[in-house]
Amino acid sequence: MSCPRSLRLAALSLSNILLPIAVLVFATGFFPYKPFLPGLARFEDVGELRGGKEELGEKGGGPRVGAGGARRGQEEAVFDRVVFMVVDALRSDFVYGEGSGFGFTQSLIRSGAAIPFTAHATPPTVTMPRVKALTTGSVPSFLDLILNFAESDTSSSLSAQDTWLAQILAANGSIVFYGDDTWLKLFPPSPEGQPFFKRSDGTSSFFVSDFTEVDNNVTRHVPDELARSDWNAMVLHYLGLDHIGHKTGPQGPNMLPKQREMDGIIKMIYEAMEGYEHHETTLLVLAGDHGMNAGGNHGGSGPGETEPALLFASPVFKAMEKRQYECPTLPKEGTEFHYYSKVEQSDLVPALAAMMGMPVSKNSLGVLLPELTGLWKGERRVQLLLQNAKQLLHIVRAKYGGERFDRDAESHAKAMEEGDGGCRGPEGDEEKLIHGWGEVLYWLAQERGLENDQLLEEALYRFLKLAQETMSDTASSYDIPRMVTGMAVAGAALVFAVISSPSLWPPGIAGMSFTLICLLYGVMMFASSYVEEEQHFWYWLTPVWVSILIAKSLRNRSDMTSAWRTAAAGAILLCSHRLAVRWNQTGQKHAGEPDIVHAIFPEHHMLMWLLILLTYIMNGYFIHTRTFAGLLIPELTAFADVSLIVLATVFKLNFTQADAPELVQGLALKLREWSEPFSLVVQARAAFATMAVTGAGVVVLAIRQARGKSGQKAKAAQTSIALTERLSHLLTLFLMTQTRAPNVPLFLALETQKSALGWLLSTQSSSSKEKATKPRTSAVEAATSVLLLSHTYYFCMGGSNSISSIDLSNAYNGVADYNIAAVGLLLFSSNWAGPIWWCSAAVLLCTQRPAIASRKETAGAEKDRDWVMVEREKLQEDAKAIAKQANEQPASEDPHAGAWFVYVASMTAFVATSLLAVMAACTALRTHLFIWTVFSPKYLYALAWSLGWHLVVNVGFGSLLYQLCSIA
């Protein structure tokens, strides 16, 4: 049962057109733009409370201006300046736990000069969304996760939103900033060109190998700024601790010294607060934007990622009545990183507003911290809580409708007055909020008194906590019709992909296996644990599939020699697979556990570099014998080959020295000294330029040779190598350049597995020319193999479904200034190096053919030539022939033609199935506890696999390589 070729081509094209449409339509429903209340909050906005006798703003006589120029608020503010110190990835145990390097900070906690908290950072735990939460008090959109990696993006700016920084500027205050340039993107200059910060100096957050300069560039400004009195807020954002976590994990050798360095900065600031008169009322806030997991990464909801430290410090706190804190201490029982009171990061905003006499930012979902209310006496404390409640009430009204909400709340207050307000408990979120606010109105209407004030405070906190929880949960409303439309489009793409298959019946072993993989993968997407540990799905299915191939190949081999070769190929595949899956530990449960890269290479770095050097030598040999074969004279071939390998190797050595010096130590010191005058950007550009020029030259020379313009016919016959294979070795060199040094030896395994897989997929050799024109490889078998191995190598190179596993270290190779296209290409190629490599291997597997003659016949006919060379030349000649036939001959005439078409159709079916399953899981589980920590990141990865790997790499780049087979 087979459809006409034109219909199948149209169906396949339409399927791949529908895939990006499905992705974008679903994304607009799943990640809607999060609206916010415009403008800046004013005290007047929270002045009058309906149904109550108390009117905020009655007392205090209006705003006052402090010494530094900032508005003090209705009454005298506790602080008129703030030093806001963000230490990226400052996990709570780094500050509060045993063995911490924050010795001075812990002494402040013990003395009562600092009040500690464990903050809760909601996923995604990356910098931009967390900075938004710390400044606006709101719950950022999950879309900010993507924008976090786009340095050129300005759509995520906070210039139009209310923040505590904007409140300082609105009161004629000024702010200085030093550190992560994410802040400069979030707070850009005004349209008139007026800078947001009075003084600033930004540092890039993405070159994660820099542990030192990125922090020194911040610290060098601190002493001078502390001596000045012309600012009301100084924002410092240190990156070094986060970079150390990414490179060596939370237990790395550089972690404790970095903690001590940060503790020294805190000591410098605190001593200035005690020593300078203008800092007598300065507040120090120490905050981590997020934490880190056991592997040193972040982005998800793993242990430690969501639990950074938050601390307020000032000599003023010593006079406040409060409980004493032990420090260092242990986390609360049953937890790993929960120290002291656990609060939301958004709670920082009303706390700062209260202490500095500012209105609470309009979109804040924060609640005034009870531990800080000791700074104010009874009536003032109630007044601050009422301000906080009225500000949150604006958000609640915007959600549920103001007039109706107020009317129902007043009705509930009257019912309480009459004694029947508690007859029936509230059911939905809105009704709970109505009852909560009605209770506040009830106590507001009561006579003032100590007992009533306490009951009012309790009612206010109940309403605040309920409003915070409810509004945080509904911060991202889903557009269900759009999500369903996206799933329908993905379903249509799947139907068209199935229609494009050359034959639906009878199903073979490969077809049934491929279908089973698609179905199992789709079902797996509905379980959060399986999504987090997806690597095991591929790690286990790959050996099963290889075993099937071994059994099938042994059945088709008629002689013992072929059978032994089959067994050897299978053993090589299975052994190299086992080695690869132990290379990098990934996933969530076992992140940070020992593996080859982290347990062996740091102790035996010479072994690692010997393997790396062997890999480059192997690649150089292939470039010399295959890429340049027959195209250049031997002298030029040797020069070009050596230039390519030396430039790439030197760059890899120097980059690793900067990126992970513990893996280089004293190795090749003279070579590093010789290349030191050239920056890493120049070295990377030299390597990339040489690869590009070589690739262009090979294409031109190979096409000339194919058209008979390269010289003698005999010479051309001796070097009959397909252009696709020539370029594949240059692609390997590029991908090795984009791969972290410890993962480079995996390319040895890749080349070995490709050769072994090619033998297992080949059919029985025949001396018949008619049989020799049949494809050597089943396209569905090739698709199944490449699908399994592509995903296996994505995970064994360190990838996962957590945002924290994205490797940024090679995204800026050769890039001096931010370029979204270049950085995007380099970022994708570094994180998907294995799957990209297997795409080029798939082209070679789909075009290979058996030799016309058997080995003995060939050896007899070509006495003066090695049988391996003869067989190889035959394979390459037939590869060109089949590619031409695939383009010239209709599939109906030759059911085996168009192997690449079948491969693309199979991959399209899998991508459509997986995309539909992920969309369905996100829709069905949209209220699941892990929707933003597991399923949403998985959707982003599904987007990258479908658009990046499938459409760009398989359909685009792979089809281009396949077409080159018919040219040369």
Side-chain angles (χ1 to χ4, degrees):
M1 175 177 165
S2 178
C3 297
R5 180 179 176 83
S6 58
L7 178 60
R8 291 192 291 107
L9 180 60
L12 182 59
S13 301
L14 185 56
S15 178
N16 284 285
I17 291 172
L18 290 176
L19 284 176
I21 297 175
V23 166
L24 295 177
V25 170
F26 185 87
T28 57
F30 191 52
F31 302 124
Y33 177 72
K34 182 178 178 291
F36 58 89
L37 299 177
L40 296 181
R42 303 174 302 167
F43 283 119
E44 293 81 355
D45 297 333
V46 293
E48 182 181 356
L49 290 171
R50 294 172 58 89
K53 295 181 179 179
E54 181 80 16
E55 289 190 1
L56 299 179
E58 267 187 359
K59 303 181 178 182
R64 297 174 58 186
V65 177
R71 183 174 57 195
R72 294 247 180 154
Q74 293 164 284
E75 293 187 357
E76 187 74 17
V78 180
F79 301 101
D80 61 2
R81 285 186 179 82
V82 60
V83 178
F84 193 73
M85 179 176 172
V86 179
V87 178
D88 213 289
L90 185 65
R91 200 170 68 187
S92 57
D93 64 315
F94 293 163
V95 181
Y96 309 137
E98 299 283 352
S100 165
F102 285 86
F104 178 78
T105 305
Q106 291 185 348
S107 71
L108 292 180
I109 296 173
R110 292 192 299 270
S111 70
I115 303 177
F117 300 91
T118 295
H120 175 247
T122 57
T125 48
V126 293
T127 296
M128 180 184 286
R130 296 300 91 224
V131 171
K132 284 189 173 184
L134 289 168
T135 54
T136 67
S138 63
V139 179
S141 168
F142 201 88
L143 190 61
D144 287 317
L145 173 62
I146 301 174
L147 300 177
N148 184 74
F149 297 104
E151 286 194 350
S152 60
D153 168 70
T154 57
S155 63
S156 57
S157 165
L158 293 176
S159 57
Q161 294 193 41
D162 191 4
T163 62
W164 59 263
L165 293 93
Q167 289 289 341
I168 290 176
L169 293 185
N172 298 318
S174 59
I175 309 170
V176 295
F177 165 75
Y178 303 101
D180 185 351
D181 57 8
T182 298
W183 289 77
L184 299 179
K185 180 169 62 174
L186 290 174
F187 299 97
S190 67
E192 296 78 22
Q194 182 69 25
F196 189 92
F197 299 106
K198 186 182 183 78
R199 292 179 293 276
S200 64
D201 188 6
T203 55
S204 175
S205 60
F206 288 113
F207 194 66
V208 297
S209 58
D210 183 1
F211 300 168
T212 307
E213 294 302 320
V214 72
D215 285 345
N216 289 345
N217 194 53
V218 179
T219 304
R220 66 189 178 93
H221 298 284
V222 174
D224 290 341
E225 291 294 351
L226 290 174
R228 295 173 179 260
S229 60
D230 63 343
W231 52 264
N232 299 92
M234 177 166 65
V235 179
L236 310 172
H237 192 137
Y238 286 93
L239 292 163
L241 187 137
D242 175 65
H243 291 183
I244 291 171
H246 282 297
K247 301 307 299 180
T248 64
Q251 306 302 325
N254 297 298
M255 186 60 74
L256 192 59
K258 177 58 67 175
Q259 292 176 13
R260 291 179 180 138
E261 178 188 340
M262 295 296 99
D263 190 56
I265 307 302
I266 294 170
K267 183 177 182 181
M268 181 198 307
I269 296 170
Y270 190 82
E271 290 177 346
M273 293 162 62
E274 292 182 314
Y276 287 106
E277 184 178 350
H278 58 271
H279 284 311
E280 286 182 356
T281 52
T282 295
L283 171 68
L284 170 62
V285 179
L286 173 66
D289 54 347
H290 51 74
M292 66 174 66
N293 59 22
N297 298 315
H298 55 87
S301 60
E305 292 175 86
T306 60
E307 295 171 297
L310 175 64
L311 178 138
F312 299 87
S314 170
V316 174
F317 292 132
K318 290 183 177 181
M320 188 177 71
E321 293 183 9
K322 62 176 184 60
R323 63 188 180 92
Q324 296 296 315
Y325 298 100
E326 294 183 5
C327 198
T329 186
L330 298 174
K332 291 188 180 298
E333 188 176 353
T335 71
E336 292 183 79
F337 307 105
H338 181 181
Y339 297 82
Y340 310 114
S341 297
K342 193 168 186 178
V343 300
E344 296 294 325
Q345 278 188 330
S346 58
D347 295 341
L348 169 74
V349 174
L352 271 180
M355 288 188 287
M356 298 189 70
M358 303 183 297
V360 182
S361 301
K362 272 192 174 183
N363 297 284
S364 170
L365 297 177
V367 175
L368 184 61
L369 299 170
E371 289 82 354
L372 298 176
T373 54
L375 290 168
W376 304 280
K377 299 303 179 183
E379 186 175 342
R380 177 58 178 161
R381 185 163 62 240
V382 171
Q383 194 178 43
L384 290 170
L385 286 172
L386 283 168
Q387 289 178 6
N388 193 180
K390 185 66 182 293
Q391 172 267 324
L392 259 175
L393 188 63
H394 282 301
I395 301 175
V396 172
R397 285 169 171 165
K399 170 72 176 177
Y400 295 110
E403 292 185 6
R404 183 173 61 83
F405 185 91
D406 291 341
R407 184 177 61 250
D408 292 346
E410 289 173 3
S411 297
H412 181 70
K414 289 179 181 178
M416 289 184 66
E417 193 79 48
E418 296 169 1
D420 61 351
C423 296
R424 183 175 60 87
E427 297 177 356
D429 289 336
E430 181 181 3
E431 192 172 355
K432 290 178 181 178
L433 287 168
I434 289 170
H435 283 211
W437 185 241
E439 185 181 358
V440 171
L441 294 178
Y442 168 76
W443 287 112
L444 276 171
Q446 306 306 307
E447 294 295 330
R448 297 275 71 84
L450 180 61
E451 183 178 353
N452 282 351
D453 281 354
Q454 289 178 344
L455 293 172
L456 174 58
E457 286 187 38
E458 292 172 5
L460 281 166
Y461 266 116
R462 281 194 295 271
F463 172 76
L464 285 166
K465 288 293 185 182
L466 179 61
Q468 181 184 59
E469 182 181 351
T470 304
M471 293 297 100
S472 297
D473 290 342
T474 60
S476 292
S477 55
Y478 302 104
D479 189 336
I480 301 299
R482 278 184 176 270
M483 295 168 68
V484 172
T485 302
M487 287 191 291
V489 176
L494 175 59
V495 171
F496 285 118
V498 173
I499 292 175
S500 68
S501 300
S503 178
L504 300 177
W505 194 265
I509 293 178
M512 289 190 295
S513 299
F514 190 88
T515 303
L516 184 61
I517 291 171
C518 293
L519 294 176
L520 289 176
Y521 187 81
V523 172
M524 190 179 71
M525 291 300 99
F526 288 83
S528 60
S529 297
Y530 285 114
V531 173
E532 289 180 319
E533 305 297 329
E534 182 187 326
Q535 71 275 8
H536 295 298
F537 178 83
W538 306 103
Y539 288 175
W540 283 99
L541 281 184
T542 300
V544 173
W545 172 246
V546 170
S547 300
I548 293 173
L549 289 180
I550 293 172
K552 174 182 173 294
S553 184
L554 286 173
R555 187 182 61 187
N556 292 334
R557 304 297 179 184
S558 57
D559 59 282
M560 285 299 296
T561 302
S562 296
W564 278 109
R565 291 185 65 182
T566 297
I572 289 172
L573 262 172
L574 293 173
C575 291
S576 55
H577 171 79
R578 179 59 183 166
L579 181 67
V581 300
R582 294 298 303 155
W583 209 259
N584 283 282
Q585 188 65 260
T586 187
Q588 293 293 317
K589 285 186 178 180
H590 307 291
E593 290 190 4
D595 52 37
I596 293 174
V597 168
H598 298 94
I600 297 178
F601 285 165
E603 298 295 328
H604 305 280
H605 69 285
M606 286 297 296
L607 172 63
M608 183 193 80
W609 282 103
L610 285 174
L611 292 173
I612 292 173
L613 188 60
L614 179 62
T615 307
Y616 276 105
I617 291 173
M618 174 206 68
N619 184 253
Y621 172 77
F622 287 151
I623 290 175
H624 183 81
T625 58
R626 300 181 188 181
T627 300
F628 291 129
L631 301 180
L632 297 172
I633 60 175
E635 292 78 9
L636 283 178
T637 297
F639 175 78
D641 187 24
V642 171
S643 299
L644 283 166
I645 300 303
V646 167
L647 287 173
T649 306
V650 169
F651 169 73
K652 183 59 65 179
L653 176 68
N654 288 322
F655 182 85
T656 307
Q657 168 62 33
D659 186 56
E662 71 278 2
L663 295 177
V664 179
Q665 299 182 24
L667 186 67
L669 189 59
K670 290 294 183 182
L671 184 60
R672 282 153 46 198
E673 290 177 355
W674 171 79
S675 56
E676 187 176 1
F678 306 98
S679 69
L680 288 174
V681 172
V682 172
Q683 293 180 43
R685 287 178 176 177
F688 290 153
T690 306
M691 294 176 205
V693 170
T694 301
V698 167
V699 170
V700 172
L701 292 174
I703 292 176
R704 287 187 60 200
Q705 185 189 74
R707 292 178 178 176
K709 297 179 180 179
S710 61
Q712 298 178 353
K713 185 176 180 180
K715 182 179 179 181
Q718 290 179 357
T719 58
S720 180
I721 298 176
L723 179 54
T724 300
E725 183 176 0
R726 295 181 185 274
L727 295 178
S728 69
H729 302 298
L730 292 175
L731 174 65
T732 300
L733 184 60
F734 169 75
L735 294 176
M736 287 163 58
T737 305
Q738 284 303 108
T739 301
R740 293 176 59 197
N743 288 337
V744 169
L746 284 174
F747 285 89
L748 284 172
L750 285 167
E751 289 286 355
T752 304
Q753 285 186 318
K754 182 182 71 173
S755 300
L757 185 63
W759 176 258
L760 290 180
L761 293 177
S762 65
T763 60
Q764 180 72 25
S765 296
S766 171
S767 60
S768 167
K769 285 190 176 183
E770 181 180 354
K771 290 184 179 181
T773 59
K774 292 181 180 180
R776 185 177 184 179
T777 302
S778 162
V780 179
E781 289 181 356
T784 306
S785 303
V786 170
L787 176 67
L788 290 166
L789 290 166
S790 293
H791 285 80
T792 293
Y793 273 88
Y794 169 76
F795 287 104
C796 75
M797 285 186 167
S800 75
N801 285 330
S802 172
I803 304 301
S804 61
S805 67
I806 295 178
D807 183 10
L808 299 169
S809 60
N810 287 287
Y812 290 80
N813 289 345
V815 179
D817 299 315
Y818 186 79
N819 181 298
I820 189 169
V823 171
L825 173 64
L826 295 174
L827 179 66
F828 184 81
S829 61
S830 63
N831 286 274
W832 271 263
I836 293 172
W837 189 93
W838 275 111
C839 174
S840 68
V843 177
L844 299 177
L845 292 172
C846 287
T847 56
Q848 68 178 351
R849 288 178 172 277
I852 294 178
S854 66
R855 179 173 26 157
K856 291 182 180 179
E857 291 172 336
T858 303
E862 304 284 348
K863 295 180 181 179
D864 58 337
R865 298 174 61 193
D866 186 84
W867 69 270
V868 176
M869 179 62 72
V870 175
E871 184 174 349
R872 173 177 177 75
E873 291 170 5
K874 292 293 184 182
L875 292 178
Q876 299 301 336
E877 289 173 0
D878 290 334
K880 295 179 183 179
I882 186 57
K884 290 181 179 179
Q885 291 173 6
N887 292 308
E888 297 171 359
Q889 188 176 10
S892 57
E893 297 178 18
D894 182 1
H896 296 283
W900 184 252
F901 182 96
V902 178
Y903 170 85
V904 172
S906 301
M907 288 301 184
T908 304
F910 171 79
V911 169
T913 302
S914 61
L915 197 58
L916 179 59
V918 174
M919 289 178 176
C922 289
T923 303
L925 303 173
R926 61 188 180 276
T927 59
H928 194 280
L929 179 64
F930 298 144
I931 183 63
W932 297 117
T933 60
V934 176
F935 296 104
S936 298
K938 178 56 189 175
Y939 179 76
L940 295 179
Y941 275 104
L943 184 152
W945 278 100
S946 58
L947 300 186
W949 181 68
H950 177 63
L951 289 180
V952 175
V953 178
N954 273 325
V955 178
F957 179 67
S959 297
L960 175 63
L961 289 178
Y962 187 77
Q963 291 298 320
L964 291 177
C965 287
S966 62
I967 298 175

